[in-house]
Amino acid sequence: LLWTSSGVGLVVGSVIVGGFIERRPPLALYPWLFLPWGLGLVGAAVAPTIGLAAAAMVVAGFGNGLTFPVTVVIVQQAASDRVRGRVFAAIISIHNALLGLSYVAGGWLTKDFGARWAYGGASVLLFAGALTAFGLTRNVATGVRLRREQAA
């Protein structure tokens, strides 16, 4: 039920993110998009009922659905044609490696401490990701602005 609920949010987030990108620059949006994902996992970790946990996972999935398309747009805007494929390959490789490690860690946390701790641990990592994204997007925005000024 929880992962199905996450999937509902994922679809909705992926469908509506285009409207967000039209109204705000992707670099300005990106760090904030981790917040519903992390908050949804916190909600699932502390929910007193499975129904509330499922609702929280819709929020988590929504945040997840927002982040990937914006990641793609940022790479398209910030990376030159010469390196764009390598950037995507690196992002996907790192994602898949971390996904595999998260399954191992999540299984261990769930077995030894319960699912609430697994969701809580994942939310901490997503909040750390949001902080990292704030720093990285600031640096990317500066680099893009400098390249545009140099080209002018």
Side-chain angles (χ1 to χ4, degrees), residues 15-38:
V15 168
I16 70 165
V17 73
F20 290 170
I21 294 171
E22 290 175 1
R23 290 190 298 275
R24 301 274 319 203
L27 285 172
L29 284 173
Y30 190 67
W32 298 102
L33 302 179
F34 285 88
L35 296 180
W37 196 357

Side-chain angles (χ1 to χ4, degrees), residues 14-137:
S14 296
V15 168
I16 70 165
V17 73
F20 290 170
I21 294 171
E22 290 175 1
R23 290 190 298 275
R24 301 274 319 203
L27 285 172
L29 284 173
Y30 190 67
W32 298 102
L33 302 179
F34 285 88
L35 296 180
W37 196 357
L39 290 172
L41 291 177
V42 167
V46 301
T49 67
I50 192 70
L52 290 174
M57 287 303 289
V58 171
V59 174
F62 177 75
N64 186 358
L66 296 173
T67 56
F68 184 73
V70 175
T71 302
V72 171
V73 171
I74 289 170
V75 170
Q76 288 174 331
Q77 291 176 346
S80 69
D81 291 343
R82 206 175 85 241
V83 298
R84 190 172 296 127
R86 285 179 270 179
V87 171
F88 278 124
I91 289 170
I92 292 167
S93 296
I94 291 166
H95 171 270
N96 288 341
L98 291 175
L99 184 63
L101 291 173
S102 72
Y103 287 153
V104 172
W108 171 73
L109 282 171
T110 301
K111 179 181 154 289
D112 289 352
F113 299 101
R116 292 179 187 276
W117 283 97
Y119 284 118
S123 69
V124 168
L125 294 175
L126 283 167
F127 292 133
L131 291 175
T132 303
F134 273 110
L136 290 175
T137 55

